Amino acid sequence: MKKLIVFFALLLFLSTFYITAYAYKATIIVDNKSLNYNVPDVSITVDGGKFDTGNNPPLIIDNSTIVPLRAISEGLGQKVDWDGKTQTVTVTSKDKVIKLVIGKNYATVNGNNVSLDVPARLINNNTTYVPMRFLFENLGYDVKWLADKYLIQATKKVDPPSANNVNIVSFTSNYANGTYTITVKGDGPLTYTRGSVNDDSSIRVYFDFNNAINTVTNKQITIDKNGLNQAYIGQNKLQPAVTRLVVNMDYSMPYTITQSQDKKEFDISFKIGQNKVTNILAAKVNNGDQITINTDADHFSPSRYNDNKIIIDVTGASLTMPDGKLAGSISYTGNVVTGIRYSQLDTNTVRIVAETSLKADFNVQPTPQGVLLTITKPDPNKKQLVYIDPGHGGSDPGAIGVGGIHEADINLAIGLKLKTLLDNGGYRTIISRTTDTDVGLYDRPSQANNAGADVFVSIHSDSFESPSANGTTVLYYPNGYNSDTRDEKTFAQIIHDDLMKQINTTDRGLSERPNLVVLNQTKMPAVLVETGFVTSPTDAQLLTDENFQWKVAQGIYNGIVDYFDRLANGSISTTVSNSVYGSN
């Protein structure tokens, strides 16, 4: 496996301080009522150093984190005044006057009303507490809540970048006719300097765009073509602003740089050559057929079109078949396959189509010779194929929640229970992992596509900075987005409805997510279920309860069965994507 190196210089390293969260136990007076308080200690750091609030620690009450106003405001150099008659506290800084009234769920900032998540309140009849995020942000700090550490992390906001800076607005790539091009676009002219770094395993060339702010979210492009490995982009410096592009390769490769006339577009191009598809062979095997595609290409995408076509698109390749044609057919009648066609679909893609006599099962695997497509008759004793994806795993624990619980562990526990239910129900299953191991993000949809799965279900747990966020959400790819013809919303709605019949969490409904890899790279109907929030004390208690995990698994199982039943009785239509697969 190629050694992948992420080469970015970071502007700032924050040394985070926190202490072990011992339980803070006390009887406190909240709004003139006694409360037996027993919650782990909450710590505060400001710009990386411990911030002590003395005898008035931060508290978590009604799922909201509140902090002592005077201790924090005065500790950060602000003036605080108290009016006992009106129970109003005023914080005065160099650019703001903040007023809060005990019991009111709003504040005024420079005379303007601002809503509060929870009202200002008196603790022990003498100390004003307010929502931590409201206070820190209005005092000029960015604030993060680290739920697993019970830590409030505040960092002084930096001055906004200069108005003369250019924003990097796009980072894309294209491969055609043997040339791989990486494109960076700005909203103004781009100027750059370049450099390179060599080591024993790779070579990296980098380009520093001067006075440039990176605004793109897709910061990494995986290439893995003929010695060209990856490209990264990120903010290298803020003052002065520098955005760095890094291209990683196995050995020194020539490249060409071009810029548009207005200098807003920067292209770096590598001539890496084009892979070839040299032959296609077919043979009967047991109750099915095997089709071998001889190619040196390593990128392919399988899918099903209607019930009688299985398609393999080999990308980054050109046809060099023995007959020299750019389109043709292979005379073959097998156990399931009735014909094979091939064509140079475009300058960058070779398409192979296997026509079948029925809706067959298929599996695709890379081999030393290229790609092996196995097509078999479905087992009459087995039902549809379900791909189960417990999110995260291995070196990626996912979100870390209350008490240090790991999202990955919860996802796996629910995924294994769902697999048991499906197996017992006669369904065929594939699961992305059965232990706490690493699975590549793109490998998950690729495995489902290669196996011809009928549906894809990804299991996750949600998180948020505030412990008050809770509930269950089902995510799906928007219907019709980018011409995708899958009716994802129907599948998501059925899963959601059956799941919510089993559990009593807050119903957060459906949510469209076009940018999630497991939803936009799958060819079959796919959903991602956010079962609950690991950062919510109430949800976390449920998510770690085995009985609740079985209820979640049962709800998802019921939804899958319901979905297939509705397909069978014709109340909904087949939703396998055919958006890019026209006639060939």
Coordinates of all heavy atoms in Angstrom, one line a residue, residues 49-103:
G49 N -5.1 27.6 28.2 CA -4.7 27.5 29.6 C -5.9 27.4 30.5 O -7.1 27.8 30.2
K50 N -5.8 26.7 31.7 CA -6.9 26.5 32.6 C -7.4 27.8 33.1 O -6.7 28.8 33.4 CB -6.4 25.7 33.8 CG -7.5 25.4 34.8 CD -7.0 24.6 36.0 CE -8.1 24.4 37.0 NZ -7.6 23.7 38.2
F51 N -8.8 27.9 33.1 CA -9.5 29.1 33.6 C -10.2 28.7 34.9 O -11.1 27.8 34.8 CB -10.4 29.7 32.6 CG -11.0 31.0 32.9 CD1 -10.4 32.2 32.5 CD2 -12.2 31.1 33.7 CE1 -11.0 33.4 32.8 CE2 -12.7 32.3 34.0 CZ -12.1 33.5 33.6
D52 N -9.9 29.3 36.0 CA -10.5 28.9 37.3 C -11.7 29.9 37.7 O -11.5 31.1 37.7 CB -9.4 28.9 38.4 CG -9.9 28.3 39.7 OD1 -11.1 27.9 39.7 OD2 -9.1 28.2 40.6
T53 N -12.8 29.3 37.9 CA -14.0 30.2 38.3 C -14.2 30.1 39.9 O -15.3 30.4 40.4 CB -15.2 29.7 37.6 OG1 -15.5 28.3 37.9 CG2 -15.1 29.9 36.1
G54 N -13.2 29.6 40.6 CA -13.3 29.6 42.0 C -14.3 28.7 42.6 O -14.4 27.5 42.2
N55 N -15.1 29.2 43.5 CA -16.1 28.4 44.2 C -17.4 28.2 43.4 O -18.4 27.7 43.9 CB -16.5 29.0 45.6 CG -15.3 28.9 46.5 OD1 -14.5 27.9 46.5 ND2 -15.1 29.9 47.3
N56 N -17.5 28.8 42.2 CA -18.7 28.7 41.3 C -18.3 28.0 40.0 O -18.1 28.7 39.0 CB -19.2 30.2 41.1 CG -19.5 30.9 42.3 OD1 -20.4 30.4 43.1 ND2 -18.9 32.0 42.6
P57 N -18.4 26.7 40.1 CA -18.0 26.0 38.9 C -19.1 26.0 37.8 O -20.2 26.3 38.1 CB -17.8 24.5 39.4 CG -18.8 24.5 40.5 CD -18.7 25.8 41.2
P58 N -18.7 25.8 36.5 CA -19.7 25.6 35.5 C -20.6 24.5 35.9 O -20.2 23.5 36.5 CB -18.9 25.3 34.2 CG -17.5 25.8 34.5 CD -17.3 25.6 36.0
L59 N -21.9 24.5 35.4 CA -22.9 23.5 35.8 C -23.6 23.1 34.5 O -23.7 23.8 33.5 CB -23.9 24.1 36.8 CG -23.4 24.7 38.1 CD1 -24.5 25.4 38.9 CD2 -22.7 23.6 38.9
I60 N -24.2 21.9 34.6 CA -25.1 21.3 33.5 C -26.4 21.1 34.2 O -26.6 20.2 35.0 CB -24.5 20.0 32.9 CG1 -23.2 20.3 32.2 CG2 -25.5 19.5 31.9 CD1 -22.5 19.0 31.7
I61 N -27.4 22.0 33.8 CA -28.7 21.9 34.4 C -29.7 21.9 33.2 O -29.6 22.7 32.3 CB -29.0 23.1 35.3 CG1 -28.1 23.0 36.5 CG2 -30.5 23.0 35.8 CD1 -28.2 24.1 37.5
D62 N -30.7 21.0 33.2 CA -31.7 20.8 32.2 C -31.0 20.7 30.8 O -31.4 21.3 29.8 CB -32.6 22.0 32.2 CG -33.4 22.1 33.4 OD1 -33.7 21.1 34.1 OD2 -33.8 23.2 33.8
N63 N -29.9 19.9 30.8 CA -29.2 19.6 29.5 C -28.5 20.8 28.9 O -28.2 20.8 27.7 CB -30.1 18.9 28.5 CG -30.4 17.5 28.8 OD1 -29.6 16.8 29.5 ND2 -31.6 17.1 28.4
S64 N -28.3 21.9 29.7 CA -27.7 23.1 29.2 C -26.5 23.4 30.1 O -26.6 23.3 31.3 CB -28.6 24.3 29.2 OG -29.7 24.1 28.2
T65 N -25.4 23.8 29.5 CA -24.2 24.2 30.2 C -24.3 25.7 30.5 O -24.4 26.5 29.6 CB -22.9 23.9 29.4 OG1 -22.9 22.5 29.1 CG2 -21.7 24.2 30.3
I66 N -24.2 26.0 31.8 CA -24.3 27.4 32.2 C -23.0 27.7 33.1 O -22.4 26.9 33.7 CB -25.6 27.7 33.1 CG1 -25.7 26.8 34.3 CG2 -26.8 27.6 32.2 CD1 -26.9 27.1 35.1
V67 N -22.6 29.0 33.1 CA -21.4 29.4 33.7 C -21.6 30.7 34.5 O -22.5 31.5 34.3 CB -20.3 29.7 32.6 CG1 -19.9 28.4 31.9 CG2 -20.8 30.8 31.6
P68 N -20.7 30.9 35.6 CA -20.9 32.1 36.4 C -20.4 33.3 35.7 O -19.3 33.4 35.2 CB -19.9 31.8 37.6 CG -18.9 30.8 37.0 CD -19.6 30.0 36.0
L69 N -21.4 34.2 35.5 CA -21.1 35.4 34.7 C -20.0 36.3 35.2 O -19.1 36.7 34.5 CB -22.4 36.2 34.5 CG -22.3 37.5 33.7 CD1 -23.6 37.7 32.9 CD2 -22.1 38.7 34.5
R70 N -20.0 36.6 36.5 CA -19.0 37.6 37.1 C -17.6 37.0 37.0 O -16.7 37.7 36.6 CB -19.4 38.0 38.5 CG -18.5 39.0 39.1 CD -18.8 39.4 40.5 NE -20.1 40.1 40.5 CZ -20.3 41.4 40.4 NH1 -19.2 42.2 40.1 NH2 -21.4 42.0 40.4
A71 N -17.5 35.7 37.4 CA -16.2 35.1 37.5 C -15.5 35.1 36.1 O -14.3 35.4 36.0 CB -16.2 33.7 38.0
I72 N -16.3 34.8 35.1 CA -15.7 34.8 33.7 C -15.5 36.2 33.2 O -14.4 36.5 32.6 CB -16.6 33.9 32.8 CG1 -16.5 32.4 33.3 CG2 -16.2 34.1 31.4 CD1 -17.4 31.5 32.5
S73 N -16.5 37.0 33.3 CA -16.4 38.4 32.7 C -15.3 39.2 33.3 O -14.5 39.7 32.6 CB -17.7 39.1 32.9 OG -18.8 38.4 32.2
E74 N -15.2 39.2 34.6 CA -14.1 39.9 35.3 C -12.8 39.3 35.0 O -11.7 39.9 34.9 CB -14.4 40.1 36.8 CG -15.6 41.0 37.1 CD -15.8 41.2 38.5 OE1 -15.3 40.4 39.4 OE2 -16.5 42.1 38.9
G75 N -12.8 37.9 35.0 CA -11.5 37.2 34.7 C -11.0 37.5 33.3 O -9.8 37.4 33.0
L76 N -11.9 37.9 32.4 CA -11.5 38.3 31.0 C -11.4 39.8 30.9 O -11.3 40.3 29.8 CB -12.4 37.7 30.0 CG -12.5 36.2 29.9 CD1 -13.6 35.7 29.0 CD2 -11.2 35.6 29.6
G77 N -11.4 40.5 32.0 CA -11.1 42.0 32.0 C -12.3 42.9 31.7 O -12.1 44.1 31.4
Q78 N -13.5 42.4 31.9 CA -14.7 43.2 31.7 C -15.3 43.7 33.0 O -15.0 43.1 34.1 CB -15.8 42.4 30.9 CG -15.2 41.5 29.8 CD -14.5 42.3 28.8 OE1 -14.8 43.5 28.5 NE2 -13.4 41.7 28.2
K79 N -16.1 44.7 32.9 CA -16.7 45.3 34.1 C -18.1 44.7 34.3 O -18.8 44.6 33.3 CB -16.8 46.9 34.0 CG -17.4 47.6 35.2 CD -17.5 49.1 34.9 CE -18.3 49.7 36.1 NZ -18.5 51.2 35.8
V80 N -18.4 44.4 35.6 CA -19.7 43.8 35.8 C -20.4 44.6 36.9 O -19.8 45.0 38.0 CB -19.6 42.3 36.3 CG1 -21.0 41.7 36.6 CG2 -18.9 41.5 35.3
D81 N -21.7 45.0 36.7 CA -22.5 45.7 37.7 C -23.8 44.9 37.9 O -24.4 44.3 37.0 CB -22.9 47.1 37.1 CG -21.6 48.0 37.0 OD1 -21.0 48.2 38.0 OD2 -21.4 48.4 35.9
W82 N -24.3 45.0 39.2 CA -25.5 44.3 39.6 C -26.5 45.3 40.2 O -26.2 46.1 41.1 CB -25.2 43.2 40.6 CG -26.4 42.6 41.3 CD1 -26.7 42.8 42.6 CD2 -27.3 41.7 40.8 NE1 -27.9 42.1 42.9 CE2 -28.2 41.4 41.8 CE3 -27.5 41.1 39.5 CZ2 -29.3 40.5 41.6 CZ3 -28.5 40.3 39.3 CH2 -29.4 40.0 40.3
D83 N -27.8 45.2 39.7 CA -28.9 46.0 40.2 C -29.8 45.0 40.9 O -30.6 44.3 40.2 CB -29.5 46.8 39.1 CG -30.6 47.7 39.6 OD1 -31.1 47.5 40.7 OD2 -31.0 48.6 38.8
G84 N -29.8 45.0 42.3 CA -30.6 44.1 43.0 C -32.1 44.3 42.9 O -32.9 43.4 42.9
K85 N -32.5 45.6 42.7 CA -33.9 45.9 42.7 C -34.5 45.3 41.4 O -35.6 44.8 41.5 CB -34.1 47.5 42.7 CG -33.7 48.1 44.0 CD -34.0 49.6 43.9 CE -33.7 50.3 45.3 NZ -33.9 51.7 45.3
T86 N -33.9 45.5 40.3 CA -34.4 44.9 39.0 C -33.9 43.6 38.7 O -34.3 43.0 37.6 CB -34.1 45.9 37.9 OG1 -32.7 46.0 37.7 CG2 -34.7 47.3 38.1
Q87 N -32.9 43.1 39.5 CA -32.3 41.8 39.2 C -31.7 41.8 37.8 O -31.8 40.8 37.1 CB -33.2 40.6 39.5 CG -33.6 40.4 40.9 CD -34.0 39.0 41.2 OE1 -34.8 38.4 40.5 NE2 -33.4 38.4 42.3
T88 N -31.0 42.9 37.5 CA -30.3 43.0 36.2 C -28.8 43.1 36.4 O -28.3 43.8 37.3 CB -30.8 44.3 35.6 OG1 -32.2 44.3 35.4 CG2 -30.1 44.5 34.2
V89 N -28.1 42.3 35.6 CA -26.6 42.3 35.6 C -26.2 42.9 34.3 O -26.7 42.6 33.2 CB -26.1 40.9 35.8 CG1 -26.4 40.0 34.7 CG2 -24.5 41.0 36.0
T90 N -25.2 43.8 34.3 CA -24.6 44.5 33.2 C -23.2 44.2 33.0 O -22.4 44.4 34.0 CB -24.9 46.0 33.2 OG1 -26.3 46.3 33.4 CG2 -24.4 46.7 32.0
V91 N -22.8 43.8 31.8 CA -21.4 43.6 31.5 C -20.9 44.6 30.5 O -21.6 44.7 29.4 CB -21.1 42.1 30.9 CG1 -19.6 41.9 30.6 CG2 -21.6 41.1 31.9
T92 N -19.9 45.3 30.8 CA -19.4 46.4 29.9 C -18.0 46.1 29.4 O -17.1 45.9 30.2 CB -19.4 47.8 30.6 OG1 -20.7 48.0 31.2 CG2 -19.1 48.9 29.6
S93 N -17.9 46.0 28.1 CA -16.6 45.8 27.5 C -16.3 47.0 26.6 O -17.1 48.0 26.5 CB -16.5 44.5 26.6 OG -17.4 44.6 25.5
K94 N -15.2 47.0 25.9 CA -14.8 48.1 25.1 C -15.8 48.4 23.9 O -15.9 49.5 23.5 CB -13.4 48.0 24.5 CG -13.2 46.8 23.5 CD -11.8 46.8 23.0 CE -11.6 45.7 22.0 NZ -10.2 45.7 21.4
D95 N -16.5 47.4 23.5 CA -17.4 47.6 22.3 C -18.8 47.1 22.5 O -19.6 47.2 21.6 CB -16.8 46.9 21.0 CG -16.6 45.4 21.2 OD1 -16.8 44.9 22.3 OD2 -16.4 44.7 20.2
K96 N -19.1 46.6 23.7 CA -20.4 46.0 24.0 C -20.9 46.4 25.4 O -20.1 46.4 26.3 CB -20.4 44.5 23.8 CG -20.4 44.1 22.3 CD -20.5 42.6 22.2 CE -20.4 42.1 20.8 NZ -20.4 40.6 20.7
V97 N -22.2 46.5 25.5 CA -22.9 46.6 26.8 C -24.0 45.5 26.7 O -24.9 45.5 25.9 CB -23.6 47.9 27.0 CG1 -24.4 47.9 28.3 CG2 -22.6 49.0 27.0
I98 N -23.8 44.5 27.6 CA -24.6 43.3 27.7 C -25.5 43.4 29.0 O -24.9 43.5 30.1 CB -23.8 42.0 27.7 CG1 -22.9 42.0 26.5 CG2 -24.7 40.8 27.7 CD1 -21.8 40.9 26.6
K99 N -26.8 43.3 28.8 CA -27.7 43.3 30.0 C -28.5 42.0 30.0 O -29.1 41.6 29.0 CB -28.6 44.5 29.9 CG -27.9 45.9 30.2 CD -28.9 47.0 30.2 CE -28.2 48.4 30.4 NZ -27.8 48.5 31.8
L100 N -28.6 41.4 31.2 CA -29.4 40.2 31.4 C -30.3 40.4 32.7 O -29.8 41.0 33.7 CB -28.6 39.0 31.6 CG -27.6 38.7 30.4 CD1 -26.2 39.1 30.8 CD2 -27.7 37.2 30.1
V101 N -31.5 39.9 32.6 CA -32.4 40.0 33.8 C -32.7 38.5 34.2 O -33.0 37.7 33.4 CB -33.7 40.7 33.4 CG1 -34.7 40.7 34.6 CG2 -33.4 42.1 32.9
I102 N -32.5 38.3 35.5 CA -32.7 37.0 36.1 C -34.1 36.5 35.7 O -35.1 37.1 35.9 CB -32.6 37.0 37.6 CG1 -31.2 37.4 38.0 CG2 -32.9 35.6 38.2 CD1 -30.1 36.5 37.4
G103 N -34.2 35.2 35.2 CA -35.4 34.6 34.8 C -35.9 34.9 33.4 O -36.9 34.3 32.9

